[in-house]
Amino acid sequence: MTTAASDVVFQCTAVSSGYGDMTIIRGIDMEVRRGEIVTILGKNGMGKTTLMKTIMGFLPPSSGSIVLFGEDVTGRDPQLLVERGVAYVPQEEAIFQDLTVEDNLRLGMRSDRHFKQGISRIEPWFPVMVKRLRQKAGTLSGGEQKMLLMSRALVSDAKFLLIDEISEGLQPSMVVKIAEVLKGLAKEQGVSMFMAEQNIGLVDRLSDRVALINTGTITERRDLSDDGRGGHQLTELMRL
């Protein structure tokens, strides 16, 4: 399939990165188009989070290039990416437990002047967060804290989401809820997403394309729109 350059939201080419002298990911090539959900699938310790942090600018790549919305952002500061419309939902629950839900949400805003608009963006997807603005974030359940992480990404009106293991520790019913929200954002609002996951059910439900990462390199790719869906295919992929 031929892809118009204007449809490509994110592209990384031959990206390698790691910590100090230790290279964790090697020669990664990925692309995400407008309104598309692409997932990097792999077990723990394979380099998924390292790739996410490298894309977001928390880790400098040792080689390769990262392009977002047609702009080369290789090694740029994370704040620049946020200003360009990127939001990061980390694997770790990076919320401020002693602050209210509202204060945590304000941290995701580029300006307090647009807070009301931000709240209106999350209300259709996570109405419970709007009802609990005055509640301390640390008193939320695990699933609600994941909702808060997602809500903090959405208040900024991001056009590209980096989502790292959102399903980790969630009950199946909450995974289904998150899947519905992400699918709606992609199909109804054209939000593009690059996810790191190992939850086969969520990946099968959401993803347009999947790449398998094994010890820091991409070893397999699947287009689910072409191959058809079926968790058994992804299960077999994980065994490769």
Side-chain angles (χ1 to χ4, degrees):
M1 178 171 57
T2 301
T3 303
S6 59
D7 291 335
V8 177
V9 169
F10 159 75
Q11 187 174 46
C12 68
T13 305
V15 168
S16 298
S17 181
Y19 304 88
D21 295 332
M22 181 179 295
T23 299
I24 303 297
I25 56 172
R26 302 171 183 83
I28 302 293
D29 294 322
M30 297 296 300
E31 181 181 277
V32 181
R33 300 184 284 267
R34 186 179 185 279
E36 190 177 39
I37 301 175
V38 176
T39 300
I40 188 159
L41 180 67
K43 299 175 182 177
N44 289 334
M46 293 295 113
K48 301 189 303 296
T49 295
T50 299
L51 176 58
M52 288 286 179
K53 290 183 175 180
T54 301
I55 294 168
M56 197 63 202
F58 294 115
L59 289 174
S62 55
S63 63
S65 65
I66 299 168
V67 176
L68 282 161
F69 306 110
E71 178 182 1
D72 190 331
V73 296
T74 310
R76 302 293 296 274
D77 189 89
Q79 182 60 35
L80 175 75
L81 275 68
V82 172
E83 292 171 357
R84 296 297 189 270
V86 180
Y88 177 44
V89 182
Q91 180 179 11
E92 60 273 12
E93 293 185 359
I95 63 173
F96 292 88
Q97 304 275 337
D98 293 333
L99 297 182
T100 64
V101 168
E102 178 176 342
D103 289 337
N104 272 273
L105 290 174
R106 286 185 183 277
L107 293 173
M109 298 294 299
R110 300 174 212 174
S111 170
D112 269 357
R113 292 176 298 174
H114 305 299
F115 184 69
K116 288 185 178 180
Q117 290 177 318
I119 290 298
S120 68
R121 281 193 288 269
I122 68 171
E123 189 167 19
W125 308 108
F126 298 114
V128 67
M129 290 294 101
V130 179
K131 294 177 182 178
R132 300 194 179 186
L133 290 176
R134 302 300 182 187
Q135 185 172 335
K136 289 289 183 69
T139 66
L140 298 173
S141 69
E144 289 168 341
Q145 290 188 17
K146 292 282 190 176
M147 286 186 189
L148 178 54
L149 283 174
M150 283 297 307
S151 297
R152 194 168 65 191
L154 298 182
V155 292
S156 65
D157 196 24
K159 302 304 181 188
F160 180 56
L161 301 181
L162 290 168
I163 305 173
D164 193 357
E165 299 264 18
I166 190 65
S167 70
E168 185 178 44
L170 291 183
Q171 296 180 351
S173 59
M174 185 58 67
V175 173
V176 171
K177 169 63 176 175
I178 294 291
E180 290 174 350
V181 170
L182 296 179
K183 198 75 170 179
L185 287 168
K187 301 308 177 187
E188 296 175 25
Q189 298 184 14
V191 177
S192 306
M193 303 175 207
F194 183 49
M195 301 198 315
E197 262 299 338
Q198 56 181 316
N199 184 310
I200 297 295
L202 180 63
V203 173
D204 184 56
R205 182 187 294 266
L206 280 180
S207 303
D208 297 296
R209 291 184 290 120
V210 175
L212 179 70
I213 189 169
N214 192 351
T215 59
T217 60
I218 302 297
T219 56
E220 293 284 339
R221 299 178 190 268
R222 295 286 171 85
D223 188 330
L224 298 188
S225 62
D226 287 344
D227 295 341
R229 299 193 181 274
H232 64 282
Q233 296 185 33
L234 297 178
T235 301
E236 290 299 319
L237 192 63
M238 287 280 279
R239 292 174 180 166
L240 295 176

